[in-house]
């Protein structure tokens, strides 16, 4: 599909209009041209002028992916991509399609999308049509913005995922011994360890980094993208010995959702784990332009040039620690199943709520979330605690 040329993103005074989502499209004719009535053209204009360079690379890729799914749905269903033919009925049908079979498994079969994911697609479509309404010739959308008349799906009741006290204890026990689970076990390596040398680990393994990540998430409630986005300069203090001695350390300017920023304090476990990582591991993975606090192993060929971890890699790290945990512990009340980064966030929120006397202002400040629905979710107790409330009633 044709797209707006890069020069259209520059105004007469030299300003880059991609930084201004409300800027008018430069050079559009007042009359409807056949090329104007094309969804692919408008998607590219929107991405070029309102998304790329404004949103993060990860969010830009997601918005583009969602809008391409919309294009595929319209094109396959109508046999064309004319914007003027897109109605609320078409968008509602797309919503229902995503909810029923919008996801493709690895084997190629269709699967339902989660309601929240469907609503995220609708939100990106709504932003696109709002932008088109503001910049397009009047004849392009004679009935107005079609997305305004499409209701999002009802979300199911959120699931509480906070760890109970027994699980927190055994997770921390596994973190204390994490290096031992990455040691090489061949005869040659066992012999070196018996002579007093440090036990060899897999060349991609970074147990001190992984321990620091989990302790930081468990002690601050940071989201996985917030962890991946941290720079070393945000850590105060950042010298290992100062971190170990400090009574108060924090991460400043944490970038959250909605372009918000906040500071979070670090507890003893997080301070100690970060000091160990900075002193013994991080230096070996530095690249010339590395600024990230947590770096991928330099031995991984596919890592980013600056070494920064991706949010998806945080999922992998946390999930692997959860799997190690469940192999190590006995008892159904301690088994985690699948450990997710948000489980650590839920746990922190519940513990912070208890420690602060359910102080809403403190919860909003440290969690970076003011939504009542999610504050209630994050501060709900684990099931065994909730069950104990009615045990003797």
């Amino acid at each position: 599909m044709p797209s707006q040329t890069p020069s259209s993103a520059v105004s007469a005074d030299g300003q880059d209009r991609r930084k201004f989502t409300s800027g008018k499209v430069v050079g559009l004719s007042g009359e409807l041209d056949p090329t104007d009535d094309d969804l692919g053209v408008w998607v590219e204009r929107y991405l070029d002028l309102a998304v790329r360079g404004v949103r993060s690379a990860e969010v830009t890729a997601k918005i583009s992916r969602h809008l391409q799914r919309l294009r595929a749905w319209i094109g396959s269903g109508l046999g064309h991509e004319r914007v003027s033919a897109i109605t609320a009925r078409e968008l509602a049908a797309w919503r229902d399609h995503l909810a029923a079979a919008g996801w493709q498994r690895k084997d190629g079969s269709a699967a339902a999308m989660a309601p929240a994911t469907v609503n995220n697609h609708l939100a990106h479509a709504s932003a696109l049509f709002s932008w088109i309404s503001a910049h397009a010739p009047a004849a392009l959308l004679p009935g107005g913005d079609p997305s305004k008349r499409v209701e999002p799906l009802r979300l199911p009741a959120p699931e509480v995922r906070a760890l109970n006290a027994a699980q927190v204890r055994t997770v921390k026990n596994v973190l204390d011994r994490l290096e031992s689970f990455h040691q090489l076990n061949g005869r040659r390596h066992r012999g070196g360890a018996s002579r007093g040398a440090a036990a060899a680990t897999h060349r991609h393994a970074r147990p001190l980094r992984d321990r620091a990540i989990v302790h930081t998430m468990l002690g601050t409630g940071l989201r996985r993208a917030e962890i991946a986005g941290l720079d070393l300069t945000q850590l105060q203090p950042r010298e290992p010995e100062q971190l170990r001695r400090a009574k108060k350390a924090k991460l400043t300017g944490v970038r959250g959702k909605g372009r918000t920023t906040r500071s979070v304090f670090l507890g003893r476990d997080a301070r100690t784990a970060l000091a160990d990582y900075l002193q013994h591991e991080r230096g070996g993975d530095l690249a010339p332009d590395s600024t990230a606090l947590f770096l991928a192993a330099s031995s991984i060929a596919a890592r980013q040039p600056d070494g920064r971890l991706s949010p998806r890699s945080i999922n992998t790290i946390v999930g692997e620690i959860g799997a190690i945990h469940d192999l190590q512990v006995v008892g159904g009340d301690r088994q985690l199943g699948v450990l997710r980064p948000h489980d650590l966030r839920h746990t922190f929120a519940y513990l912070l709520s208890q420690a602060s006397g359910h102080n809403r202002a403190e919860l909003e400040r440290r969690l970076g979330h003011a939504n009542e629905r999610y504050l209630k979710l994050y501060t709900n107790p684990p099931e065994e605690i909730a069950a104990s409330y009615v045990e003797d009633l």
Side-chain angles (χ1 to χ4, degrees), residues 229-304:
L230 288 173
D231 289 333
L232 178 62
T233 55
Q234 293 173 257
L235 178 61
Q236 299 180 1
R238 65 183 69 101
E239 293 300 324
E241 288 309 315
Q242 292 180 19
L243 266 177
R244 290 191 179 94
R245 293 195 305 267
K247 295 297 183 182
K248 183 178 74 173
K250 61 183 177 179
L251 292 163
T252 62
V254 176
R255 297 176 290 276
K257 290 185 176 180
R259 302 183 185 179
T260 60
T261 60
R262 69 188 189 279
S263 294
V264 294
F265 294 108
L266 297 167
R268 185 185 304 106
D269 287 335
R271 295 196 304 267
T272 302
L274 282 166
D276 289 344
Y277 167 59
L278 293 175
Q279 183 171 356
H280 300 294
E281 264 187 16
R282 185 178 181 274
D285 293 321
L286 282 172
D289 54 350
S290 294
T291 61
L293 174 58
F294 297 112
L295 298 173
S298 57
S299 56
I300 298 176
R303 83 167 190 164
Q304 299 184 51

Side-chain angles (χ1 to χ4, degrees), residues 77 104 129 169 194 227 248 299 320 326 339 388:
Q104 190 174 47
F129 281 104
R169 177 177 177 177
S194 66
I227 287 286
K248 183 178 74 173
S299 56
E320 288 179 349
D326 280 4
L339 183 62
S388 70

Side-chain angles (χ1 to χ4, degrees), residues 22 41 144 175 187 345:
S22 60
V41 169
L175 291 174
R187 182 182 303 172
R345 179 171 167 82

Side-chain angles (χ1 to χ4, degrees), residues 20-202:
F20 302 94
T21 58
S22 60
K24 295 292 183 181
V25 174
V26 178
L28 272 186
S29 169
E31 297 181 359
L32 188 61
D33 184 273
T35 59
D36 285 326
D37 197 9
D38 186 293
L39 182 60
V41 169
W42 280 100
V43 166
E44 286 304 312
R45 286 173 177 166
Y46 172 66
L47 292 174
D48 278 343
L49 301 179
V51 179
R52 296 185 180 116
V54 178
R55 309 298 296 272
S56 69
E58 183 184 16
V59 172
T60 297
K62 182 167 72 170
I63 292 173
S64 177
R65 187 165 60 249
H66 291 183
L67 296 181
Q68 295 308 323
R69 285 176 181 150
L70 174 61
R71 286 187 61 196
W73 171 258
I74 296 296
S76 63
L78 300 182
H80 59 77
E81 292 188 27
R82 291 199 295 274
V83 177
S84 59
I86 299 176
T87 63
R89 183 192 302 273
E90 294 299 330
L91 293 181
W94 180 55
R95 173 200 63 196
D96 296 342
H97 161 72
L98 294 176
W103 193 258
Q104 190 174 47
R105 298 188 181 96
K106 290 182 179 180
D107 62 4
S109 61
M113 272 188 183
T117 306
V118 174
N119 289 346
N120 199 230
H121 281 68
L122 285 178
H124 292 152
S126 178
L128 167 68
F129 281 104
S130 294
W131 194 84
I132 292 175
S133 298
H135 301 300
L140 189 62
L141 293 172
D145 182 346
S147 68
K148 299 297 185 187
R149 300 188 295 278
V150 180
E151 293 291 329
L153 297 179
R154 285 182 174 273
L155 296 178
E159 180 185 1
V160 180
R161 291 283 304 184
L163 308 186
N164 60 43
Q167 290 170 327
V168 171
R169 177 177 177 177
T170 50
V171 165
K172 289 185 175 183
N173 179 269
V174 167
L175 291 174
D176 288 342
R177 300 181 290 126
L178 200 55
E179 293 100 320
S180 66
F181 302 119
H182 292 284
Q183 289 174 0
L184 297 172
N185 294 319
R187 182 182 303 172
R188 173 165 56 93
H189 303 297
R190 289 198 300 270
S194 66
R195 292 190 296 271
T201 59
H202 189 284

